[in-house]
Amino acid sequence: MTTSPDRAAAVSPARAGRVGAPWLALLAGPLSLGIAGPALVLGEVAGDLGVGIPAATWLVTAFGWGVAVGTPLMAGLLARRGVRAVLAVCGLLVAAGALIVVAGPALPLLVVGSAAQALGCAGLTVTAMNLADSARRMGIVTASLAVVGSVSPLAGQVVADLASWRATLALPVVSLLAVPAAARRAMPPEPPGSRFDVPGAALVTALVTALVAVPHWPAPAAVAAVVTVLLLIVRLRARPDGFLPAALARSPRFLGLCGVGLALAVVNFGILYAAPTLLARHTGWTPAQIGTVMVAPYLLGGALSWLVVAASGRMRPGVVTALLIGAATAATVVVPFAGATPVLLAGMAAGSLAAASGQGVFAVYVGAVAEEHRPTAVGLLNLCYLLGAAFGPAITALMSA
């Protein structure tokens, strides 16, 4: 294919009009508030609900599961029904989930609310990335995810101090402020002629659930994932135009981009969870001091990623990919063996820059692989990044055990 990634994005099916880039950032960025916002308030949650920290952590686990499952499901809905349908469904999910976590009396209900918010945020993020019709605008969307994620733990703590931990859990609701602006841009739904592939969607959901569970229950989850993959292969042969298009599943370029994206995310999130221990070893700082200092490299990496994604439209894809892999490799080598705190922080920033840039750059590239499957392709790429968020910390824990 000779079409440049930037040009491919510009002629995507979502070209009917333009949503301002700040609205796209607001539509997507709050997803990071749900992932990282509760990090410093789980102790308060556990104390008020009368449960242990491990039980309270299910709020974060449920959000992660909802985002992982919701990403391909909402991408499929976007491809078939268009922007307005996804915004309506996801807006209701986010609003309902926020109400539940604010008013729910018990942990199981709060877990449901957290999962509902995550499903909605997943769809809003996929929509924002599909409405980003240039490399520059895609960079703004993915940079917003990284930048918001870098400050989310501190923001969550501040909101809990000013209001309550329930308000912290409901922070993703701010994404609804961008829904009206995005709704003015409507992607035409898929012409009728094929019914929704329910078995395909169920298999993809089962596979995502199994993969998310691998770090927690390795053996049974891995077996379930393998069995589901085999069933999905059979389904692809029976329905090549189904929920998971065969054109994507059989594309070496698409699969390669997803694989590199997964690796970049594994490196970034692995370093994120290893960094506090390494910083404590180097400095003797308190956890609060470490948390504050860690904002800087991740904020820097997220902010710089916008420049990288914006410039990628003028560079060869192979060169950009090699540079991102190089940055992630350098971070992997530097961080564990850093002899000084500034070097360690530089390695953290490099890992953040590689992952945040890769998410935006590869989202543009996969849209050029098969333009008719752009929403699904972008959704599956994001799924790989989310799996990296699950696998990175688990791999770090195994290596440090």
Side-chain angles (χ1 to χ4, degrees):
M1 181 178 293
T2 58
T3 305
S4 73
D6 212 27
R7 174 64 178 161
V11 296
S12 71
R15 186 63 182 169
R18 272 203 163 192
V19 178
W23 290 118
L24 296 180
L26 182 58
L27 196 66
L31 179 145
S32 294
L33 291 170
I35 293 175
L40 301 179
V41 302
L42 288 179
E44 292 183 54
V45 176
D48 285 355
L49 295 178
V51 300
I53 293 290
T57 304
W58 273 104
L59 290 168
V60 181
T61 301
F63 196 93
W65 173 86
V67 172
V69 169
T71 295
L73 289 179
M74 296 306 174
L77 180 63
L78 179 65
R80 295 182 59 84
R81 301 300 180 189
V83 168
R84 287 178 180 168
V86 174
L87 292 176
V89 171
C90 294
L92 288 174
L93 284 169
V94 172
L99 287 174
I100 291 172
V101 297
V102 167
L107 180 62
L109 196 57
L110 299 184
V111 169
V112 172
S114 182
Q117 283 193 107
L119 288 168
C121 284
L124 297 181
T125 300
V126 168
T127 300
M129 296 183 78
N130 275 276
L131 292 174
D133 51 11
S134 70
R136 182 180 297 272
R137 289 157 64 80
M138 183 68 78
I140 291 174
V141 173
T142 54
S144 73
L145 289 164
V147 169
V148 173
S150 69
V151 300
S152 286
L154 290 179
Q157 182 64 68
V158 169
V159 170
D161 291 341
L162 294 176
S164 74
W165 57 261
R166 290 181 179 272
T168 298
L169 297 181
L171 279 176
V173 78
V174 301
S175 60
L176 297 184
L177 295 174
V179 168
R184 291 194 291 268
R185 160 81 163 281
M187 182 188 302
E190 181 180 285
S194 61
R195 291 186 300 174
F196 182 71
D197 182 16
V198 175
L203 286 172
V204 171
T205 301
L207 177 60
V208 172
T209 302
L211 291 174
V212 170
V214 164
H216 304 281
W217 303 289
V223 171
V226 170
V227 171
T228 307
V229 166
L230 295 176
L231 293 174
L232 197 53
I233 291 173
V234 174
R235 184 61 187 174
L236 278 174
R237 292 175 178 173
R239 182 79 182 273
D241 61 341
F243 184 80
L244 176 62
L248 293 179
R250 297 170 184 168
S251 168
R253 186 183 179 199
F254 172 74
L255 296 176
L257 290 171
C258 287
V260 175
L262 173 62
L264 295 179
V266 167
V267 168
N268 180 51
F269 286 99
I271 290 174
L272 175 65
Y273 277 79
T277 300
L278 295 173
L279 283 171
R281 186 183 304 163
H282 280 290
T283 64
W285 291 338
T286 66
Q289 290 172 321
I290 290 173
T292 302
V293 169
M294 283 180 63
V295 170
Y298 286 103
L299 187 61
L300 177 64
L304 290 179
S305 70
W306 175 74
L307 298 177
V308 175
V309 180
S312 67
R314 301 185 296 273
M315 301 171 65
R316 288 187 175 185
V319 173
V320 179
T321 303
L323 290 174
L324 295 178
I325 292 175
T329 302
T332 305
V333 173
V334 166
V335 168
F337 305 106
T341 300
V343 177
L344 175 57
L345 294 175
M348 294 162 59
S352 172
L353 175 62
S357 300
Q359 187 177 19
V361 170
F362 295 163
V364 175
Y365 290 171
V366 298
V369 172
E371 292 175 29
E372 67 273 22
H373 299 304
R374 175 180 165 85
T376 302
V378 172
L380 292 174
L381 175 72
N382 281 335
L383 173 59
C384 289
Y385 271 85
L386 294 168
L387 291 177
F391 294 154
I395 293 172
T396 297
L398 289 174
M399 293 179 66
S400 60

